[in-house]
Amino acid sequence: MLTYGPAGATRPGDETWTTGIPGYRRHARTVVVGRGDDHWHTASDALLHWGVKRRSGFRVTPVGGAAPRVSEGARYTITATWGPLAVHEPVRVVAVVETADVRGFAYGTLPGHPVSGEEAFILRRDSDGLVTLTLRSLTAPAPRGLWRRVFPLLLPVQVLCRRRYERALRVPSAR
C-alpha cells in the first residue's frame, strides 16, 4: 500500500504538470541531457533500467520477482549508502510511459520509506533531436516513526540527489 495518494500524481505521460497533492512539496525541473537518436536510445534504455538512480549512487533491487527493467506495479528496494550507513527505500512503480518521443516512469513510496510521495523521471526528444530529462516529485514527511521526525534534515539530501539525477544521463557536450 502506497503511503500517499493518488498514485500517478506526477503524471509522467503529460507534457506539462500543474497538479499536486495538498500538503506535499512539489518539484519540477527539466534539463538538457543530449542530442540525437543515438543518445535518445542509450538514455532511454538506461532510464528504464533505473539508470538515473544507479548512476546517482543508489542500488536498486527488484522485489518479489520484479524484472530489472521498470514495470508498472513492480516493487523495488532502493538503497542509499554512506559509509557503514544504509537506508532502504521500498517503492512501487506506479506509471510507465513509452512512446516514440517520451520514455519515463514514476514510483511511489511504500511503508518504511524515509519520505512519503512520488518521483518521476521523464525523457523527451523534440523534433530537432534535443533530449531532455524532467524530474518531478511530490514529497511529504513519512506517515510515522523516526523518519517523520527527521524530515527537515532530509530536504538538503533531496536537493543533492536531484543534482545527481540531472547529470546521470547527460553527455559531456549537453547544455
Side-chain angles (χ1 to χ4, degrees), residues 79-156:
T79 304
T81 56
W82 293 279
L85 177 66
V87 176
H88 304 288
E89 305 172 344
V91 302
R92 180 168 54 91
V93 175
V94 296
V96 177
V97 178
E98 290 188 71
T99 68
D101 295 315
V102 180
R103 306 280 164 82
F105 70 98
Y107 68 79
T109 57
L110 296 170
H113 196 289
V115 300
S116 176
E118 188 171 296
E119 194 160 44
F121 305 95
I122 307 129
L123 273 178
R124 293 188 188 280
R125 173 176 56 176
D126 71 13
S127 59
D128 294 326
L130 189 68
V131 181
T132 59
L133 174 67
T134 299
L135 307 173
R136 296 178 182 167
S137 66
L138 294 164
T139 310
R144 62 186 64 80
L146 171 67
W147 289 121
R148 183 171 184 78
R149 292 191 295 279
V150 299
F151 179 73
L153 301 174
L154 299 176
L155 297 175

Side-chain angles (χ1 to χ4, degrees), residues 12 15 24 28 39 41 44 68 76 92 100 113 123 145 149 152 156 170:
E15 188 169 343
Y24 281 70
H39 186 69
H41 293 295
S44 294
Y76 299 84
R92 180 168 54 91
H113 196 289
L123 273 178
R149 292 191 295 279
R170 187 177 287 169

Side-chain angles (χ1 to χ4, degrees), residues 9-33:
T10 54
R11 309 193 55 85
D14 293 357
E15 188 169 343
T16 59
W17 179 52
T18 57
T19 61
I21 299 174
Y24 281 70
R25 294 171 166 271
R26 183 179 177 281
H27 172 81
R29 180 168 160 85
T30 300
V31 297
V32 174
V33 295

Side-chain angles (χ1 to χ4, degrees), residues 28-93:
R29 180 168 160 85
T30 300
V31 297
V32 174
V33 295
R35 179 178 296 280
D37 287 344
D38 287 345
H39 186 69
W40 167 251
H41 293 295
T42 301
S44 294
D45 185 61
L47 177 77
L48 295 175
H49 284 89
W50 293 92
V52 170
K53 295 297 275 193
R54 287 190 167 113
R55 293 176 182 183
S56 297
F58 294 87
R59 185 174 68 243
V60 180
T61 307
V63 174
R69 187 179 196 278
V70 298
S71 175
E72 192 164 337
R75 292 181 15 234
Y76 299 84
T77 300
I78 299 169
T79 304
T81 56
W82 293 279
L85 177 66
V87 176
H88 304 288
E89 305 172 344
V91 302
R92 180 168 54 91
V93 175

